[in-house]
Amino acid sequence: MKDSVTIEIPEVGNFSECKIFRVPRRLRSLNEKAFTPQIVSIGPFHHGKKELEGMESYKEKYCEKFLERTKTKKEELLSYTIKSKQSDKVKDTYAGTIKVINNFAEMILIDACFIFELFSRLDDENFKKDQDYILKTPWLLNTVAMDLILLENQLPFSFLKNLYGEATKESDNIKGDDCHDPKPRKVTEKKFHKSKFKSCFRNQSRDYNSDDLSKRGESSEPLINEGNKFLDLTVCFFHEVLGITADKDKEIEHFTDLVRLSWLPAERTESEQELSEEKEKIKRHNHLYSATKLDKAGLNFVLADSEKPVQPRLGDVRISSGPWYKYIPRCRSCKQLELSQLKIEDSTECLMRNVIALEHCLYPNHGYICDYIYLMNELIDTAEDVELLVKKKIVKNLLGSSQDAADLVNKLCDEMMQPKFIHSYLCKTLDDFYEGCWNNNMATIRRVYFKDLWTFSSSVVGLCVFILTIIVTIQQLSK
């Protein structure tokens, strides 16, 4: 009885409606800062904290400016939020105890309008950004953007989209009883230019059907709707500040989910398909030799081709035979591993830890990003592994130290739970490849005698001399 364990169970009525979660304590304890807003609070979980009070006045000013921008009265939006029961729906999306807030509807309205005005100012070419303290200060803008993607610091995207539509009277986003005012307002914002946002969206030519999406655990509802400017503002904001590029065909739950969707595999990976076929033979195989060991055995690491119709994403992993190996009988077992580029920088740990927490809470059976991180953890053991992958352009290390990058990747897997591992078949295949005698011997020969032009030429000359010596010896013996 002395050794007790506290289990965190969210206090909710309908857990299926929950989209925003408190980070589990075992994950939060690994890096408290990665889950805690530094400047601005959004939603109820961190509302009222003393260290975040400095931004409250800014949020109110931003709210006022957005209302001026759209010629809207605060009372009208507040009435819409309450009468349409938007505030009640927002409350239902939070899994966890919410402290009593006197005016919950007004709080989420101010938070939402702060986001609207921030995104609009960054988009507005006529707005003088040097007059805005956040926009003219790069470190501050980056910190605010990072706060907006934290799992505990979210508002439901559906609420933001509907409220923005009500404020700007975008008829495409207002349905049925949500529209209370039949007279459209005059919006003073400039017209939206699609060409500016073209680079913010990932070029996605593959059409997903409902079966594909159900297998991936995603909604089949399209993300992009004609005239939905708030979505475009959102994607362009995070693309410009954090370099996140989104897809056009997914419905997002909130900004943290947007980050996850930008990393998801473009399609079901080959390893996942093979795993489904070989599941009776391989229940779970999550051991893999490091990148340097596999490289010495002859595995070729290849950067995913960004020129393909379906552009690669962080979670894309593919294993295949080399381009010319298949034509050589004894080299059919040679493999190449195709991976997308992993950019390791100061913000990487925060982004990945929040996406890991999201998958643990909302997508426990579809942890594609957790599986990818675990795979990279197996490939990277030491600084030498990082240096090899940097040389192959699979890792872009902006931390400076290869050892720091290796430590970061290894720490991300602490306390990670994986109900299933989609790369089991891939790991088993690569382990068998490494343990094969032929592969190791051939790799050693290539590495020692044919690693560059000079060793290749000297090896050829030595081989020719050896052959000529044998020929001369045989001729002498025959005489």
Side-chain angles (χ1 to χ4, degrees):
M1 295 297 293
K2 292 182 180 180
D3 299 330
S4 61
V5 178
T6 301
I7 301 176
E8 297 179 79
I9 301 178
E11 297 178 6
V12 293
N14 185 3
F15 190 76
S16 62
E17 299 296 327
C18 296
K19 308 297 180 183
I20 303 169
F21 302 82
R22 286 192 182 275
V23 177
R25 191 174 305 168
R26 60 184 179 78
L27 293 178
R28 174 178 287 279
S29 63
L30 298 174
N31 189 343
E32 181 82 17
K33 187 178 178 181
F35 304 104
T36 305
Q38 304 300 305
I39 293 179
V40 59
S41 68
I42 301 294
F45 285 156
H46 295 276
H47 179 75
K49 287 188 174 181
K50 291 184 179 181
E51 59 269 24
L52 303 175
E53 288 179 353
M55 278 296 295
E56 293 302 315
S57 59
Y58 273 92
K59 289 199 294 186
E60 292 179 359
K61 290 179 181 178
Y62 270 56
C63 180
E64 293 174 2
K65 292 298 183 181
F66 177 74
L67 296 175
E68 292 179 9
R69 178 189 294 269
T70 56
K71 307 297 184 182
T72 312
K73 294 181 179 180
K74 183 177 180 180
E75 292 76 15
E76 293 178 358
L77 290 184
L78 191 59
S79 175
Y80 161 77
T81 302
I82 297 174
K83 289 183 179 180
S84 63
K85 297 183 179 181
Q86 290 287 327
S87 59
D88 294 335
K89 294 177 182 177
V90 170
K91 279 185 180 180
D92 292 339
T93 62
Y94 292 97
T97 304
I98 300 176
K99 64 180 180 180
V100 178
I101 299 175
N102 294 332
N103 197 334
F104 183 84
E106 184 176 5
M107 183 268 292
I108 62 175
L109 175 63
I110 293 175
D111 288 351
C113 290
F114 165 74
I115 293 173
F116 298 156
E117 181 63 15
L118 177 64
F119 290 6
S120 299
R121 288 186 180 189
L122 188 65
D123 164 57
D124 192 348
E125 296 176 353
N126 298 322
F127 182 79
K128 296 181 180 180
K129 296 178 176 56
D130 59 347
Q131 297 179 356
D132 182 274
Y133 183 62
I134 295 178
L135 296 184
K136 76 175 183 180
T137 313
W139 74 264
L140 183 58
L141 178 60
N142 183 270
T143 305
V144 171
M146 292 298 296
D147 283 351
L148 292 180
I149 60 92
L150 302 181
L151 179 58
E152 295 183 347
N153 215 33
Q154 298 298 316
L155 289 173
F157 190 82
S158 58
F159 165 71
L160 294 173
K161 183 173 63 174
N162 291 336
L163 186 64
Y164 186 88
E166 177 68 17
T168 59
K169 283 302 176 184
E170 291 182 350
S171 58
D172 288 345
N173 294 332
I174 309 300
K175 299 180 181 180
D177 296 336
D178 290 346
C179 186
H180 301 293
D181 185 3
K183 297 180 180 179
R185 301 184 189 92
K186 180 181 179 181
V187 179
T188 58
E189 289 183 294
K190 64 181 179 61
K191 291 184 178 180
F192 165 64
H193 298 285
K194 291 183 179 180
S195 59
K196 179 181 178 181
F197 291 86
K198 187 175 181 180
S199 62
C200 300
F201 294 102
R202 190 186 303 275
N203 180 22
Q204 179 68 20
S205 62
R206 180 176 181 267
D207 295 328
Y208 288 90
N209 56 43
S210 58
D211 292 337
D212 291 334
L213 295 170
S214 62
K215 290 176 182 177
R216 291 161 56 95
E218 312 299 338
S219 170
S220 59
E221 182 180 351
L223 180 64
I224 299 299
N225 296 317
E226 188 66 21
N228 185 1
K229 184 179 179 182
F230 177 64
L231 176 64
D232 302 323
L233 288 174
T234 299
V235 173
C236 193
F237 175 83
F238 287 108
H239 174 73
E240 186 164 341
V241 180
L242 299 178
I244 296 171
T245 304
D247 294 329
K248 296 185 178 183
D249 59 348
K250 302 292 185 303
E251 180 68 24
I252 64 177
E253 303 294 349
H254 40 69
F255 296 152
T256 314
D257 196 39
L258 174 67
V259 178
R260 176 180 180 267
L261 286 171
S262 70
W263 291 348
L264 280 182
E267 54 186 332
R268 294 187 69 208
T269 61
E270 181 177 327
S271 59
E272 184 183 357
Q273 294 173 353
E274 292 174 344
L275 175 61
S276 63
E277 298 171 358
E278 300 288 333
K279 60 183 179 180
E280 295 300 326
K281 299 179 181 178
I282 306 172
K283 294 294 183 182
R284 182 174 181 84
H285 185 95
N286 55 0
H287 170 269
L288 181 62
Y289 291 99
S290 65
T292 52
K293 290 183 178 179
L294 291 171
D295 178 66
K296 290 179 179 178
L299 180 68
N300 186 27
F301 290 91
V302 179
L303 179 65
D305 187 3
S306 60
E307 301 299 326
K308 292 180 179 179
V310 179
Q311 292 187 3
R313 319 192 191 170
L314 190 64
D316 282 333
V317 179
R318 192 181 305 277
I319 185 172
S320 61
S321 298
W324 51 270
Y325 293 151
K326 59 185 178 181
Y327 299 110
I328 303 177
R330 293 292 296 175
C331 292
R332 287 178 181 175
S333 60
C334 294
K335 299 289 183 181
Q336 68 178 15
L337 183 61
E338 183 176 333
L339 298 166
S340 299
Q341 187 177 73
L342 171 62
K343 188 177 181 181
I344 302 179
E345 53 187 339
D346 292 335
S347 62
T348 300
E349 182 175 4
C350 180
L351 289 171
M352 286 195 167
R353 287 198 181 279
N354 279 272
V355 172
I356 289 171
L358 174 63
E359 289 197 334
H360 275 61
C361 297
L362 189 58
Y363 304 106
N365 295 318
H366 300 277
Y368 291 93
I369 305 305
C370 289
D371 288 343
Y372 168 79
I373 294 172
Y374 189 89
L375 178 68
M376 294 303 295
N377 172 64
E378 291 294 297
L379 289 173
I380 297 175
D381 285 339
T382 63
E384 289 74 18
D385 296 317
V386 174
E387 292 169 0
L388 171 65
L389 295 178
V390 168
K391 182 180 179 181
K392 300 291 185 178
K393 298 183 179 181
I394 291 174
V395 171
K396 186 176 183 180
N397 183 18
L398 300 181
L399 296 182
S401 170
S402 298
Q403 187 60 52
D404 289 344
D407 292 340
L408 172 60
V409 174
N410 295 152
K411 288 190 299 183
L412 287 173
C413 288
D414 292 346
E415 300 293 342
M416 184 183 291
M417 301 297 294
Q418 295 172 287
K420 61 180 180 180
F421 184 54
I422 65 172
H423 301 304
S424 292
Y425 184 85
L426 180 144
C427 291
K428 180 66 168 60
T429 302
L430 293 181
D431 282 351
D432 292 343
F433 172 80
Y434 174 80
E435 293 166 1
C437 295
W438 172 262
N439 298 324
N440 278 280
N441 292 334
M442 291 301 298
T444 301
I445 292 174
R446 289 196 300 270
R447 185 170 61 254
V448 174
Y449 299 104
F450 303 100
K451 66 178 180 179
D452 54 40
L453 178 62
W454 302 109
T455 56
F456 173 78
S457 58
S458 60
S459 298
V460 171
V461 171
L463 181 62
C464 292
V465 171
F466 177 72
I467 294 174
L468 290 175
T469 301
I470 292 176
I471 293 174
V472 172
T473 302
I474 293 175
Q475 289 177 347
Q476 292 292 332
L477 291 175
S478 62
K479 292 180 180 179

